[in-house]
DNA sequence: AGGACGCCCTGTTCGC
DNA sequence: TGCGAACAGGGCGTCC
């Protein structure tokens, strides 16, 4: 689930719940999630400190500490955050737990343990180290067009490549291409200027509206592909049977009539 | 450069 | 109905 709109929603959630409170201690249940640190390292960095700010880049969430260090969270395919008070509310599959002196806890929940937790001195340093592309919502039309000319492969793999553009995953990638009416297999050099502009507008529009919907599909329009992206699904525009193909190792859903 | 693949994990769905 | 196989919204490393 966690693509840009989901992670932005988590960022707001963390900012609304867990800022400015002293961390009593942390507990790591799944050390395999830690990148370049240890449970002890994480404990030392967080205990007796407070989160004072948040930042998001693509699918990465950064929580800034009063020590000038940052906790980095990536949610893999199934991660999420949950803030709670009572021990009985501790979510199943909690892999990492932050306990505050006010008695509340922030759980990093990930049934599949495919996420990542790390520490960094500065989000920008982490972003450069991982060679992430610009955040999908920070791009303007010009920048997107410039990026597009440097690429020769197919459009869907490009949208999903975090080193090209950061934040788009399989679900919203399909949604953007559907709304831009572009076949996911189209090659970038073959796109016209108008098509690139359409792609940019839809990328922005889909991501902004998904953020406004708090990444909850139930709050998104029925006319979106997201409602129909399943076996036997039909195009919400023309009712044609949707096609399902494999691109870049992931399932791509598209309408063979509307997307060219 | 970019695409295909295997792998990391585990819960759910599919298909015989 | 039951069971193993295939699949799921991510990312990384390797190979070609």
């Amino acid at each position: 689930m966690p693509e840009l709109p989901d992670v932005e929603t988590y960022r707001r959630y963390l900012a609304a719940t867990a800022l400015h409170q002293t961390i009593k201690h942390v507990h790591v249940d799944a050390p395999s999630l830690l990148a370049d640190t240890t449970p002890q390292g994480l404990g030392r960095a967080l205990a007796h400190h407070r989160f004072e700010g948040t930042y998001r880049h693509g699918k990465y969430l950064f929580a800034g500490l009063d020590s000038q260090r940052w906790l980095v969270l990536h949610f893999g395919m199934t991660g999420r955050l949950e803030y709670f008070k009572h021990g009985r509310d501790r979510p199943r599959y909690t892999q990492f737990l932050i306990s505050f002196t006010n008695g509340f806890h922030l759980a990093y929940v990930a049934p599949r343990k495919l996420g990542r937790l790390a520490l960094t001195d500065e989000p920008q340093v982490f972003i450069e180290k991982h060679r992430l592309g610009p955040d999908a919502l920070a791009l303007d039309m010009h920048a997107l067009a410039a990026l597009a000319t440097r690429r020769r492969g197919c459009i869907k793999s490009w949208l999903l490549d975090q080193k090209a553009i950061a934040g788009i995953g399989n679900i919203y990638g399909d949604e953007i291409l559907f709304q831009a009416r572009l076949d996911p297999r189209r090659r970038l050099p073959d796109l016209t200027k108008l098509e690139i502009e359409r792609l940019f507008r839809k990328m922005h529009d889909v991501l902004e509206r998904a953020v406004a919907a708090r990444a909850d599909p139930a709050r998104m329009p029925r006319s979106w592909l997201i409602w129909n992206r399943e076996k036997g699904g039909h195009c919400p525009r023309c009712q044609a049977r949707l096609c399902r193909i494999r691109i870049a190792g992931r399932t791509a859903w598209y309408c063979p009539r509307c997307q060219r």
Side-chain angles (χ1 to χ4, degrees), chain A residues 31-69:
Chain A
S32 64
L33 291 168
L34 305 185
D36 299 325
T37 185
T38 59
Q40 293 73 28
L42 210 51
R44 275 196 299 274
L46 269 64
H48 315 305
H49 288 283
R50 295 184 305 257
F51 290 125
E52 296 289 3
T54 60
Y55 186 74
R56 182 194 57 72
H57 186 99
K59 301 174 187 172
Y60 286 89
L61 172 57
F62 299 86
L65 293 152
D66 55 4
S67 61
Q68 313 303 321
R69 297 215 82 197

Side-chain angles (χ1 to χ4, degrees), chain A residues 4 55-58 133-144 147 165-167 200 203-204 207-208:
Chain A
L4 186 154
Y55 186 74
R56 182 194 57 72
H57 186 99
D135 183 75
L137 272 182
L139 271 174
D140 62 24
M141 173 60 216
H142 262 331
L144 184 87
L147 287 175
I165 302 169
F200 171 76
M203 178 180 85
H204 218 267
L207 294 176
E208 287 281 17

Side-chain angles (χ1 to χ4, degrees), chain A residues 68-84:
Chain A
Q68 313 303 321
R69 297 215 82 197
W70 295 74
L71 172 68
V72 187
L73 304 108
H74 187 279
F75 298 92
M77 278 169 126
T78 56
R80 63 193 165 86
L81 294 176
E82 209 151 314
Y83 187 73
F84 66 96

Side-chain angles (χ1 to χ4, degrees), chain A residues 102-114:
Chain A
N102 68 357
F104 281 78
H105 312 270
L106 183 68
Y108 170 95
V109 186
R112 285 170 62 189
K113 298 186 195 167
L114 288 175

Side-chain angles (χ1 to χ4, degrees), chain A residues 209-229:
Chain A
R209 293 174 71 181
V211 167
R214 282 169 270 163
D216 178 358
R219 295 175 181 275
M220 296 173 201
R222 278 287 184 176
S223 59
W224 280 26
L225 183 75
I226 199 167
W227 284 94
N228 306 274
R229 209 178 162 285

Side-chain angles (χ1 to χ4, degrees), chain A residues 58-260:
Chain A
K59 301 174 187 172
Y60 286 89
L61 172 57
F62 299 86
L65 293 152
D66 55 4
S67 61
Q68 313 303 321
R69 297 215 82 197
W70 295 74
L71 172 68
V72 187
L73 304 108
H74 187 279
F75 298 92
M77 278 169 126
T78 56
R80 63 193 165 86
L81 294 176
E82 209 151 314
Y83 187 73
F84 66 96
K85 179 154 195 181
H86 301 292
R88 62 169 183 273
D89 294 328
R90 177 189 167 115
R92 207 177 164 197
Y93 310 118
T94 293
Q95 312 293 0
F96 174 53
L97 189 69
I98 301 171
S99 301
F100 300 96
T101 53
N102 68 357
F104 281 78
H105 312 270
L106 183 68
Y108 170 95
V109 186
R112 285 170 62 189
K113 298 186 195 167
L114 288 175
R116 277 285 176 278
L117 298 168
L119 292 166
T120 186
D121 289 330
E122 195 61 51
Q124 209 52 43
V125 169
F126 184 90
I127 290 162
E128 280 163 26
K129 181 182 166 198
H130 290 264
R131 309 231 179 285
L132 295 176
D135 183 75
L137 272 182
L139 271 174
D140 62 24
M141 173 60 216
H142 262 331
L144 184 87
L147 287 175
T149 58
R150 291 203 244 120
R151 190 96 176 189
R152 321 163 109 260
C154 87
I155 186 166
K156 172 121 191 237
S157 341
W158 178 56
L159 287 181
L160 294 190
D161 182 355
Q162 304 302 300
K163 292 179 171 60
I165 302 169
I168 299 168
N170 203 26
I171 293 284
Y172 292 106
D174 279 355
E175 190 67 51
I176 291 163
L177 291 171
F178 170 71
Q179 295 195 25
R181 299 218 213 169
L182 292 168
D183 187 307
R185 296 164 295 185
R186 289 280 298 280
R187 309 235 146 221
L188 279 158
D190 300 337
L191 295 182
T192 65
K193 190 163 180 287
L194 268 165
E195 287 173 328
I196 298 270
E197 285 173 9
R198 209 160 73 219
L199 178 69
F200 171 76
R201 280 201 310 275
K202 293 306 183 181
M203 178 180 85
H204 218 267
D205 190 50
V206 165
L207 294 176
E208 287 281 17
R209 293 174 71 181
V211 167
R214 282 169 270 163
D216 178 358
R219 295 175 181 275
M220 296 173 201
R222 278 287 184 176
S223 59
W224 280 26
L225 183 75
I226 199 167
W227 284 94
N228 306 274
R229 209 178 162 285
E230 58 192 17
K231 59 273 155 216
H234 292 263
C235 172
R237 272 192 77 250
C238 78
Q239 303 308 316
R241 183 74 165 267
L242 295 176
C243 286
R244 174 198 163 120
I245 56 174
R246 203 103 185 136
I247 296 179
R250 320 219 101 92
T251 303
W253 290 89
Y254 70 99
C255 172
R257 259 204 270 172
C258 298
Q259 293 176 250
R260 298 294 179 171

